[in-house]
Amino acid sequence: MKNAERWLQQTLNYQFSDAELFAQALTHRSTGNRNNERLEFLGDAVLDFVISDVVYNARPDASEGDLSKLRASLVKDESLASLALEFGLGEHLILGSGEQKSGGHRRESILADALEAIFGAVFLDAGFAASRAVIEHAFAERLQILPDIDDLRDPKTRLQEWLQARKMELPVYELLETTGKDHKQRFKVSCSVPEKSLATIGESTTRRKAEQHAAREMYQRVSGKKE
């Protein structure tokens, strides 16, 4: 644990008074021992509050819906796992043998949960102010360059809002083709805008993703904007 403690101090500028809390935060349930699931639950709540407060003050004119999108972009598993990878958290995880062999130290969900567990452990170890300081330190770069709200809207929503603003009919999505076996299917979907006599095609491993791809191309064609 000494290496992990040095890593934490160097990376997140924190040192635990209760070293057992830190060890628990790093321990995945695959070990069969006392694990980080409860700490992750607590850390998730603390993280949500801290990031909510930060974006609320950073974007005073944003609506509730836009603030929710902004917060979600920062605290979703993908973002947390990316942070954890940058910090080298995976090297210090305590995993069961099965997870070790299958590369659990690089698994997105495990990394995201462990980072939240650390936030929860800091909260128990030293209180809210300390956990907030650690979270703001961890997210410092991302909080300095918050994304534009428009960039957070998914392609289907963006296309729909663009059409509605011009009092045009909503796009029509149609499943054209499904190929491959059950565990490895591909979907081909069309997106059409009748008033423009336009149609685009999207393909992906799920129908939803295929619709998003088709909507992205349609939005670029009708709006003239490139993403």
Side-chain angles (χ1 to χ4, degrees), residues 7-227:
W7 163 82
L8 183 71
Q9 192 163 18
Q10 293 169 359
T11 306
L12 295 180
N13 195 31
Y14 188 77
Q15 185 171 5
F16 275 88
S17 297
D18 184 351
E20 288 186 10
L21 263 180
F22 183 38
Q24 184 184 350
L26 297 175
T27 303
H28 186 254
R29 66 176 181 270
S30 60
T31 63
N33 299 321
R34 191 181 182 202
N35 60 62
N36 63 11
E37 287 185 325
R38 285 172 56 83
L39 292 175
E40 181 268 328
F41 167 81
L42 184 60
D44 175 72
V46 176
L47 175 64
D48 266 6
F49 180 80
V50 171
I51 297 300
S52 294
D53 186 48
V54 171
V55 299
Y56 179 87
N57 288 293
R59 295 290 172 84
D61 298 324
S63 68
E64 181 271 340
D66 288 342
L67 289 173
S68 294
K69 291 185 180 72
L70 190 54
R71 178 184 61 197
S73 73
L74 292 166
V75 304
K76 62 185 179 181
D77 277 2
E78 181 182 353
S79 299
L80 293 175
S82 176
L83 266 181
L85 280 171
E86 288 177 23
F87 297 154
L89 173 57
E91 299 173 20
H92 304 286
L93 294 176
I94 303 170
L95 305 171
S97 59
E99 283 294 350
Q100 286 180 348
K101 292 175 182 176
S102 63
H105 62 286
R106 294 189 301 272
R107 200 181 313 282
E108 184 177 281
S109 60
I110 292 177
L111 287 166
D113 288 350
L115 186 57
E116 287 184 321
I118 289 174
F119 297 151
V122 173
F123 176 79
L124 292 180
D125 191 58
F128 177 73
S131 60
R132 176 167 189 142
V134 169
I135 289 169
E136 290 186 342
H137 184 81
F139 283 83
E141 290 187 13
R142 285 163 171 77
L143 293 176
Q144 288 176 2
I145 49 171
L146 291 174
D148 291 333
I149 297 298
D150 284 344
D151 293 337
L152 299 176
R153 293 187 174 90
D154 65 78
K156 288 182 67 174
T157 300
R158 216 179 303 183
L159 174 61
Q160 179 176 316
E161 290 178 349
W162 191 91
L163 294 172
Q164 287 177 324
R166 290 155 182 80
K167 303 190 185 311
M168 299 172 67
E169 292 182 22
L170 296 181
V172 177
Y173 297 93
E174 182 182 356
L175 178 62
L176 301 178
E177 185 179 32
T178 304
T179 58
K181 298 180 180 180
D182 289 345
H183 67 284
K184 201 173 182 180
Q185 288 185 317
R186 284 197 68 82
F187 297 82
K188 180 184 289 187
V189 173
S190 69
C191 171
S192 58
V193 177
E195 292 180 52
K196 290 283 191 178
S197 298
L198 291 174
T200 56
I201 304 294
E203 292 187 57
S204 191
T205 53
T206 68
R207 179 169 180 170
R208 180 180 178 278
K209 289 180 180 178
E211 288 178 351
Q212 297 285 13
H213 291 327
R216 179 179 289 107
E217 185 177 342
M218 179 60 76
Y219 176 76
Q220 290 175 353
R221 291 180 65 176
V222 297
S223 70
K225 298 179 180 179
K226 298 294 182 181
E227 296 189 347

